[in-house]
Amino acid sequence: GHQDTNELGDFTCQIFTRQDVTLELVREHDLVRSLLGCLWDLLQPALREEASPVVFNHESDIFKDHEIIQCSMDLLYVLDHAQVAREIVRSQKLRGELWHG
């Protein structure tokens, strides 16, 4: 339940605030791609596909879900490290994977 998600948040915060661990997860386990994919999967139900261009329905209840907040915060913790940002920019493999989705 709610306590489980709080404990997960505490755990990921502790891991992702360590730059060395985060950098290894980005390099070796596609962490950024996984987090972006997860966030996209969570956000897709809020898309208003009838709109042109396609936009998010900002009134959707989905934005109140803890999972969206947790995934967003995890991505924030990961991208907050300057070395991780440098790695994404420098690595052709990472840039290509993120660019192509």
Side-chain angles (χ1 to χ4, degrees):
H2 187 66
Q3 184 170 345
D4 292 339
T5 55
N6 285 343
E7 290 172 6
L8 176 63
D10 292 345
F11 178 72
T12 59
C13 178
Q14 289 174 10
I15 288 179
F16 297 152
T17 53
R18 295 243 348 235
Q19 180 171 284
D20 58 332
V21 173
T22 302
L23 192 56
E24 181 177 340
L25 291 170
V26 167
R27 287 179 176 157
E28 305 297 326
H29 301 283
D30 296 324
L31 178 63
V32 174
R33 184 178 180 165
S34 296
L35 286 172
L36 287 171
C38 181
L39 195 54
W40 177 245
D41 290 345
L42 290 168
L43 288 172
Q44 272 187 313
L47 281 178
R48 294 185 59 195
E49 295 185 27
E50 73 281 357
S52 182
V54 176
V55 294
F56 287 105
N57 173 7
H58 69 281
E59 295 177 346
S60 173
D61 287 337
I62 201 157
F63 294 108
K64 297 174 186 171
D65 290 348
H66 181 76
E67 290 81 8
I68 297 262
I69 296 166
Q70 179 64 55
C71 192
S72 300
M73 291 304 298
D74 288 348
L75 187 59
L76 174 69
Y77 293 137
V78 169
L79 296 177
D80 194 43
H81 298 293
Q83 189 61 39
V84 170
R86 272 191 226 94
E87 183 71 16
I88 292 169
V89 171
R90 290 181 183 163
S91 167
Q92 177 64 37
K93 177 183 177 281
L94 283 173
R95 277 196 329 265
E97 286 178 354
L98 293 176
W99 182 259
H100 289 94

